[in-house]
Structure formats: structure tokens, C-alpha cells
Amino acid sequence: MRSRAALICRGSSLLPVLLAFSLAPVTANAADKLGTLASRPRWSVLEHYQQTITRDEFANLVQNVYCTHGIPQDAITVTDDSARILMNSESQRFFALRFAPNEQSKKRVPRLWHPAKQLGSASASRPLAGLRIALDPGHLGGKWARMEERWFKIGESAPVQEGDMTLRVSRILASKLRRLGATVSFARNELGPVTPMRPDDFRELARTILIKNGVPQPRPEALNENDPEKEQTIKWQSEILFYRYSEIRRRAVRVNTRLHPDLVVCLHFNAEGWGDPNQPTLTDVNHLHLLVNGSYLEGELEFDDERFEMIRRLLSRAYDEELPIADTVANKLASATGLPAFQYPTTLTTTKVGTSGYVYARNLLATRLYRCPVVYCEPYVMNNREVFDRIQAGDYEGTRDVNGVQRKSIYREYADGVADGLVDYYRGARDLKH
Ligand SMILES: [Zn+2]
């Protein structure tokens, strides 16, 4: 069964792989407790952040943004002048982060991305000049859409494939942003994976994970699409290792080592549980929300790599930039789409942040791994009746009648909302005339 939350790729917690069986995770190295396909944390990098943050600022970000669900024993201990961060629980090694005594004595935060304030001047007509934006169209699309469970089809109509739709929005958005002065790159710019790996490359790892999680003799594949034990097969596990973990980690390498953007915008469409993809349930529910990184679960903070990445992200102050961008984009997307704010059914995994009412902190693989501000957009419920009709209508110029209202194509409406939000934010933050 799909839950609505399951449709978003929370990639950190091994949710489908490990928590589904509520058992201990696989460790890739005896000394480190690592998440799926994670590499070992390089704690020495944090030396560059000594005395770049005050105690108050650190404590505030820990309490209200990153560790809103509590902290495992000894993982992070804040004293008057430093924080003690667990590097490795087996060896009980800790990293000592020294605070700046006060605001005036803070050292410069080392980072490769530029906040709006450091972009320099721009004309009012090109408010994004000098800004490097990477667009990350969610999922793979194309022939992979069924495997990644981002596919449904009603009768003879064209299948709905999220990965195709996000790429379409990204290309429309890219040309808009370029006209506004931005340098735009893509984390993915074709239908299909960025990772060179394929599901078969992960069969052994899938088997190991399943055995460690209490499935002593994993079956190669499911009996059929409705097999309740589908997720405990080698096929299903090796596929998710491919299209989620390997793929998003590969995109992160591309973003962090080649693209070096000042901002990543992740583009998705949301959905409500649709059941059988060949006979999907349609709904009248429709909504919008955006995500920024934060709200780590205690179980996630047990992983050495996730704890490290969280601290590095916190220290980079990506949040100070991505939160106001997310709020501004949310407001413009809300007026472009007319969508109400999505409310998560529980507060167990997310924390509402910001001022717009549309933005949540959540620890997704993409929002955690891209080392710069990241805004993750989740407008539209794909199996909403009206949204489905608009997807079937495809892209078009101008407006058409949709249930008595003149609307742009769903792709242009989405792209325009995001572009308007970015213009609004950067004009304001760079102090340009409107
Ligand atoms: Zn998605």
C-alpha cells in the first residue's frame, strides 16, 4: 500500500529497505554506521567551521530546524563554548566544534555557493544575473517510470509519468530563468537515470539487506504486482537501490563536484495513494507544499554519515537562504496554482517552518546531499481529477478553459510560479527596483 507520504522520496532513513522491517541497519564498514550506499564521513572537513557560529545560533538551528524529534544519547552535546558531536559510536570518538564567542568574532563560513547578498549588482530586468541554478527534475521517467512506481494509466489515455512531467517543467523553467539572467544547469536532462548502475548491479546488496532485516531466504521476484511480500524480494530491493539511492547519490556528486550551483530547485508532482496503477483511484483532493532540509528522526541521527551531513549543512547556513526562498516561491506558486497548503497527517517526520504555511522541513536524500540551498517543490496531486485532465491536455500556449476558468498549461503554470517566486526573492534580497 502507498501512503501519501510514501510518494515523496525520503531517501535517508532506508524507509523502504530497513525501517519497513524495523530491524538493525546494514553497516558498510565495521567501524562506521552508514546509510544505504553512503560513503564514510570526512569529519576533518568540519575543522574549517571552527568559530564560525555562536552557541545561540547553533542551539537554535539544532532545536528548531534539524533535531526537532530529539537527539540520540551523546550524539550532540552543547556546552558553553563548544559542541561535542559523536563521530563513531563504536569507538566513542567525538568531534569538538568550538563556537565563536559572539557575533562580532565569527569567522567567515567556508562555502562554494553564494547567498543573494553576495551576488553583486544586477539590473531590475535581469534580477537573476550571476546566479547559478541547478534544476533537479524528480525521478527518471521514460521506460523507467513503471519500475519507480511513478506511473499510472486510465483506460486508453496516455500514461501519467511523473519523471517525464518534471523534466518538461524543468526545460520550460530553464529558458525563463536564463532570460532573467541566471546560469542554469540540470541534475538530469533526459528521460532515464544519471547513474551508470542498473538494478542487476545491486542484487547481492539487496540480498544482504533483506537477510540482515529478517528475510532469511529472499525470493528473486514477486509472484505478481499485488504480492503483499513484493518489497521483500531481491528484484524490488535492487530496483529501489538503483532508482533512488544510487541515482540520487549520483546526482549529488554531479551537483557538488561539477555544477556548483548557488541553489538547487527540485521539481516534483505530488500524488495521493492511487492503488492499482492500471486502475488508479482518482480524488478531488489537491494541494501544494515545499520542503527544505531538517527535521531529522532520531533513528537517522544514529547513522554516522547522516549526522555528519546534517552538521555540515547546518554550519553552511544553507537554511538561512533556502527557507526565505522556499517561502517566497511557495507564495507565488500558491497564487499561480490556487492550491491550498498540504497538511501532513502527522508531525512524526516533518516540521512546519517559515511564514507562508506551505513549507516543511524534512530529511530527504536530495535536500540533504546537495551542498547548497535546496528548495523541493511538491505542487499538484497527479491523480486529482482536474489535474489528470490537465496532464492529458499537455503543454500549450496561452490559456484554455479548465472547468470554467482560463488556465495556462499545467507545465507553464508550474514553471511560471517558480520563476516568479525566484524573481521576487532575488529582487528583494539584492535590493533591485521592481
Ligand atoms: Zn516525486
Side-chain angles (χ1 to χ4, degrees), residues 27 44 105 142 184 245 247 338 342 380 389 395 409 424:
T27 45
S44 59
S105 60
V184 182
Y245 294 94
E247 175 65 15
F342 173 58
Y380 305 110
D389 289 344
D395 186 28
S409 86
D424 201 26

Side-chain angles (χ1 to χ4, degrees), residues 9 78 96 124 188 202 221 236 241 253 259 275 278 282 369 390 393:
C9 0
V78 177
R188 164 175 82 90
F202 296 109
E221 53 189 280
W236 196 90
L241 285 165
V253 169
L259 306 182
N278 288 298
L282 293 182
L369 294 182
R390 296 182 70 191

Side-chain angles (χ1 to χ4, degrees), residues 281-353:
T281 307
L282 293 182
T283 175
D284 290 322
V285 173
N286 204 0
H287 45 64
L288 159 70
H289 75 292
L290 279 75
L291 296 158
V292 296
N293 186 251
S295 195
Y296 285 62
L297 309 185
E298 279 203 66
E300 294 167 348
L301 291 170
E302 305 263 3
F303 290 99
D304 298 334
D305 58 304
E306 293 202 40
R307 199 167 54 253
F308 166 74
E309 283 154 4
M310 184 198 79
I311 294 287
R312 175 166 60 184
R313 190 163 190 88
L314 180 157
L315 292 172
S316 80
R317 281 2 172 268
Y319 182 77
D320 293 352
E321 189 78 5
E322 67 199 5
L323 180 65
I325 297 176
D327 265 333
T328 316
V329 170
N331 284 326
K332 289 292 182 185
L333 260 179
S335 45
T337 62
L339 292 172
F342 173 58
Q343 305 297 333
Y344 275 88
T346 76
T347 53
L348 292 174
T349 56
T350 57
T351 304
K352 206 170 220 187
V353 290

Side-chain angles (χ1 to χ4, degrees), residues 7-9 138-139 150 162 166 267-270 376 378:
L7 289 166
I8 297 175
C9 0
H139 313 287
R150 293 302 190 280
E162 186 184 349
T166 57
L267 298 148
H268 288 253
F269 286 79
N270 210 340
Y376 191 108
E378 282 279 3

